[in-house]
């Protein structure tokens, strides 16, 4: 109970909240394991051999059948996995998504066989994601991690070192099935090489433009004329903004949130380039006029584009659970 409370506390501080916590031992005490084995037996996929109860997973592509109840009458480890899958399906989940570590890659075949044994569609009703290891680097040297030596780096350690935003963003910007290398010194730096700083700074810059626009009498209420956004940087930025809905949909469909992070970095790059763009004569294509210059429709239209970037950056960071600071 104490360890579970610590886990909940760590997750809350990391910005992760679960609506439901499911305890594995409840599958045994509630009778869920017995129910699942009974369902599989009714379907004709369970048999007895050498005093043990087996699931005939080889009928569904597994390399060997799996023991559900051992000869000493104790359930095998997979029995709880079988029960959990059925329990979640019976609770109304059309898609059961399970995240496993790289050292559990061998579970994919047997669990997909379990899915098929229940009459479901592997890789559809059951989807398994494999996560790889996270490697930490500090002062140019790897941070060694060893359970045996007792120097495991926890998520609390990472958050204390670089902060919640940098920790969440740096993990989210990689595909789940790729090894992740985190440079702790880089994630603490206020430079463009730090990806979370780069994106957050772009958002704070859009907010600074808004504050200055109010002072100089530029506002969106005076209208938007897209024809005035005729520079190459304008076109590049508008095109990038148009990609956002598709990126979000693809990230959701493929279970790949890193696509959103990488998109935000590209958008931030386009925005910074747009902010500093010059015309053919080498003059700055300013978002706002100088204090002694008149306000024109071009400035109003550029403010609309600035604010569109601010909204998309804010939405994207929010999807990743990362803050969008207005000042940096």
């Amino acid at each position: 109970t104490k360890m579970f409370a610590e886990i909940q506390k760590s997750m809350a501080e990391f910005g992760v909240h679960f609506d439901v916590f499911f305890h594995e031992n409840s599958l045994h005490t509630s009778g869920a394991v017995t129910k699942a084995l009974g369902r599989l037996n009714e379907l004709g996929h369970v048999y007895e051999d050498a005093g043990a109860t087996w699931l005939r997973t080889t009928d569904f592509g597994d390399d060997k059948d799996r023991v559900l109840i051992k000869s000493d009458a104790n359930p095998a480890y997979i029995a709880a996995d079988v029960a959990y899958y059925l329990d979640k399906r019976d609770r109304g989940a059309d898609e059961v998504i399970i995240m496993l570590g790289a050292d559990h890659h061998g579970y994919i075949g047997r669990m997909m066989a379990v899915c098929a044994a229940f009459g479901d569609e592997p890789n559809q009703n059951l989807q398994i994601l494999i996560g790889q290891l996270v490697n930490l680097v500090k002062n140019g040297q790897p941070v060694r991690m060893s359970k045996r030596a007792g120097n495991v780096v926890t998520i609390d350690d990472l958050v204390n070192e670089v902060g919640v935003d940098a920790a969440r963003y740096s993990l989210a910007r990689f595909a789940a099935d790729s090894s992740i290398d985190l440079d702790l010194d880089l994630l603490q730096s206020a430079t463009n090489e730090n990806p979370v700083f780069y994106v957050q700074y772009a958002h704070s810059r859009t907010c600074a433009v808004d504050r200055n626009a109010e002072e100089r009498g530029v506002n969106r209420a005076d209208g938007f004329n897209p024809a005035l956004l005729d520079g190459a940087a304008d076109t590049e930025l508008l095109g990038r903004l148009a990609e956002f809905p598709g990126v979000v949909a693809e990230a959701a469909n493929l279970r790949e949130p890193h696509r959103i992070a990488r998109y935000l970095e590209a958008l931030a790059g386009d925005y910074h380039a747009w902010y500093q763009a010059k015309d053919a004569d080498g003059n700055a294509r300013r978002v706002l006029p100088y204090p002694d210059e008149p306000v024109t429709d071009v400035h109003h239209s550029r403010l609309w584009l600035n604010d569109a970037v601010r909204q998309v950056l804010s939405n994207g960071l929010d999807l990743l659970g990362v803050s969008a600071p207005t000042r940096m």
Side-chain angles (χ1 to χ4, degrees):
T1 301
K2 184 176 180 180
M3 286 300 299
F4 185 60
E6 287 295 319
I7 291 172
Q8 288 178 298
K9 180 174 179 291
S10 296
M11 290 293 94
E13 291 175 350
F14 192 54
V16 175
H17 303 277
F18 291 93
D19 294 327
V20 177
F21 285 95
F22 201 102
H23 297 274
E24 182 179 345
N25 67 322
S26 69
L27 293 166
H28 299 282
T29 59
S30 69
V33 170
T34 302
K35 176 184 176 181
L37 268 59
R39 181 82 62 87
L40 291 170
N41 189 49
E42 291 172 1
L43 293 168
H45 305 312
V46 173
Y47 65 94
E48 303 290 329
D49 185 51
T53 302
W54 298 71
L55 177 60
R56 193 176 287 106
T57 53
T58 52
D59 285 354
F60 305 99
D62 198 6
D63 58 339
K64 61 181 180 180
D65 292 343
R66 304 293 171 177
V67 174
L68 295 173
I69 304 297
K70 296 181 287 187
S71 57
D72 62 4
N74 289 315
Y77 189 81
I78 195 175
D81 296 326
V82 172
Y84 180 71
Y85 174 76
L86 179 62
D87 180 87
K88 198 156 191 176
R89 291 284 283 126
D90 284 349
R91 280 186 279 147
D94 293 327
E95 298 177 345
V96 178
I97 303 171
I98 298 177
M99 186 82 189
L100 298 177
D103 54 342
H104 287 84
H105 194 278
Y107 267 74
I108 296 178
R110 70 193 71 174
M111 285 305 299
M112 289 302 174
V114 168
C115 170
F118 279 118
D120 290 340
E121 184 68 31
N123 298 309
Q124 181 59 48
N125 298 115
L126 174 62
Q127 300 170 32
I128 296 179
L129 305 179
I130 297 292
Q132 296 293 332
L133 294 176
V134 177
N135 303 306
L136 304 182
V137 176
K138 186 173 177 63
N139 298 322
Q141 298 296 320
V143 178
R144 300 296 181 186
M145 295 180 287
S146 169
K147 293 180 181 178
R148 185 169 299 174
N151 62 346
V152 173
V153 179
T154 67
I155 196 70
D156 295 328
D157 297 327
L158 179 60
V159 169
N160 290 336
E161 189 77 19
V162 303
V164 174
D165 280 346
R168 287 184 62 95
Y169 187 91
S170 59
L171 292 173
R173 67 188 296 267
F174 291 94
D177 60 354
S178 66
S179 294
I180 301 176
D181 295 315
L182 300 185
D183 187 326
L184 300 181
D185 298 313
L186 177 63
L187 293 177
Q188 290 176 311
S189 67
T191 68
N192 286 340
E193 284 70 38
N194 179 352
V196 66
F197 175 85
Y198 188 65
V199 174
Q200 288 182 321
Y201 179 64
H203 181 269
S204 69
R205 176 176 262 182
T206 65
C207 296
V209 168
D210 277 341
R211 291 191 295 269
N212 292 332
E214 185 175 357
E215 294 176 1
R216 298 182 191 179
V218 182
N219 62 79
R220 291 192 297 169
D222 288 331
F224 171 65
N225 184 354
L228 298 176
L229 301 175
D230 56 358
D234 296 318
T235 301
E236 190 75 21
L237 190 54
L238 286 164
R240 187 76 68 183
L241 288 171
E243 295 173 0
F244 184 58
V247 170
V248 173
E250 188 172 42
N253 291 335
L254 298 177
R255 320 290 187 217
E256 294 181 345
H258 72 277
R259 293 175 179 270
I260 294 175
R262 298 295 178 155
Y263 166 82
L264 293 178
E265 291 167 35
L267 175 60
D270 289 340
Y271 175 75
H272 290 312
W274 174 78
Y275 184 86
Q276 299 166 352
K278 299 181 183 299
D279 61 23
D281 297 324
N283 300 313
R285 295 177 63 90
R286 293 179 54 80
V287 182
L288 304 176
Y290 286 111
D292 58 347
E293 285 184 337
V295 176
T296 69
D297 289 342
V298 172
H299 298 122
H300 297 311
S301 298
R302 288 180 182 161
L303 182 62
W304 273 85
L305 185 50
N306 176 85
D307 290 357
V309 173
R310 175 178 53 77
Q311 186 66 64
V312 171
L313 287 172
S314 177
N315 289 349
L317 287 168
D318 183 61
L319 287 173
L320 299 177
V322 177
S323 71
T326 59
R327 297 176 186 269
M328 291 181 71

